[in-house]
Amino acid sequence: MTDLPESTPTPARPGPVIRALTAVATLMLIGGVFLVVASLDHRNALRSRQIDVPTSGRPMLGSGNEPHTVVIYSDFRCPACATFHAEQLPALQAGAQGKANVVFVNRVLFGEPSVRAAVAAECAYRAGGVPAYQSAAEQLYAEARTHTRDATAWLEPAALRALVGVGDMNDFSACQADPAVSAQIRAESDRIARQGGATTPGVLVGGRTVSPPTADRILSALNRL
């Protein structure tokens, strides 16, 4: 006699109330994910702002033919700017090759001594081009790291001439004394400040600020253009 196979009981289907609650919970979960994403996008939008900065005639790394531009605005007496210059700029420069020109402009924060430091870098640039500007920036940032912001003796014109060490001291001295140079730097800085560029260092990619300004974030923003 053959035994009949035991029948497998059919699982009970969830009732309509359970199904409705499950659907509501799923919708709430999906809605919560969208809210989180929207909130993050909104926070990023608040952090990022559009700033228009003319870059013609400014010190630049790159061939001038790259399709995009990264703008860095900074103060030579700003410790965070010195750190950015030493730790982030090399990786940014390497990653931006063939993609973007890297342009330097001034955003002075700490009064007249900051203007004098910016004038020294500008006069080095006018005397010897980008290599002289880069050398001056290295010296200015290195010196700034060894002094408090209140120590300004090294920012006197004669001390800056010795520090930067460009070839033609007469031309450099004349540039330092030219009120049009400091006026240009103040105007450049004021333009950025009026558009919300309140802190340094600041970095613009596609005209928008990148925060925090790390090489990875800057290159990521550049790749999205």
Side-chain angles (χ1 to χ4, degrees):
M1 180 175 172
T2 303
D3 293 333
L4 294 174
E6 295 183 4
S7 61
T8 303
T10 303
R13 297 180 63 187
V17 173
I18 298 299
R19 290 199 300 272
L21 289 174
T22 301
V24 169
T26 301
L27 289 173
M28 290 178 66
L29 178 61
I30 294 171
V33 171
F34 277 114
L35 283 173
V36 169
V37 171
S39 175
L40 289 173
D41 287 344
H42 180 63
R43 286 168 60 187
N44 288 336
L46 288 176
R47 279 200 298 263
S48 176
R49 62 175 69 241
Q50 189 80 28
I51 297 181
D52 176 40
V53 181
T55 58
S56 177
R58 308 310 304 133
M60 179 185 71
L61 301 177
S63 69
N65 298 319
E66 278 77 0
H68 303 296
T69 300
V70 174
V71 178
I72 300 171
Y73 56 88
S74 58
D75 184 318
F76 289 108
R77 298 181 66 224
C78 156
C81 299
T83 300
F84 175 89
H85 188 88
E87 298 179 3
Q88 303 298 328
L89 183 59
L92 170 58
Q93 183 180 355
Q97 283 186 356
K99 300 176 183 178
N101 301 303
V102 179
V103 180
F104 301 93
V105 298
N106 295 291
R107 172 67 177 99
V108 292
L109 292 180
F110 306 117
E112 187 61 27
S114 289
V115 174
R116 290 202 294 269
V119 165
E122 175 67 20
C123 293
Y125 173 58
R126 295 186 183 191
V130 172
Y133 175 85
Q134 288 181 285
S135 176
E138 292 284 350
Q139 296 300 324
L140 290 165
Y141 282 130
E143 194 71 12
R145 284 193 290 268
T146 66
H147 294 283
T148 67
R149 283 191 204 139
D150 296 331
T152 58
W154 67 278
L155 291 160
E156 293 302 318
L160 286 169
R161 285 195 292 273
L163 177 67
V164 172
V166 294
D168 191 328
M169 283 293 107
N170 289 329
D171 285 350
F172 186 83
S173 298
C175 178
Q176 277 186 302
D178 185 352
V181 178
S182 57
Q184 172 192 311
I185 288 166
R186 289 189 181 91
E188 189 173 68
S189 178
D190 290 345
R191 181 184 181 118
I192 296 169
R194 286 195 301 269
Q195 297 176 78
T199 60
T200 55
V203 176
L204 307 175
V205 175
R208 298 199 68 86
T209 56
V210 177
S211 178
T214 63
D216 287 345
R217 280 184 175 268
I218 297 164
L219 293 172
S220 177
L222 186 60
N223 290 331
R224 291 195 297 270
L225 294 179

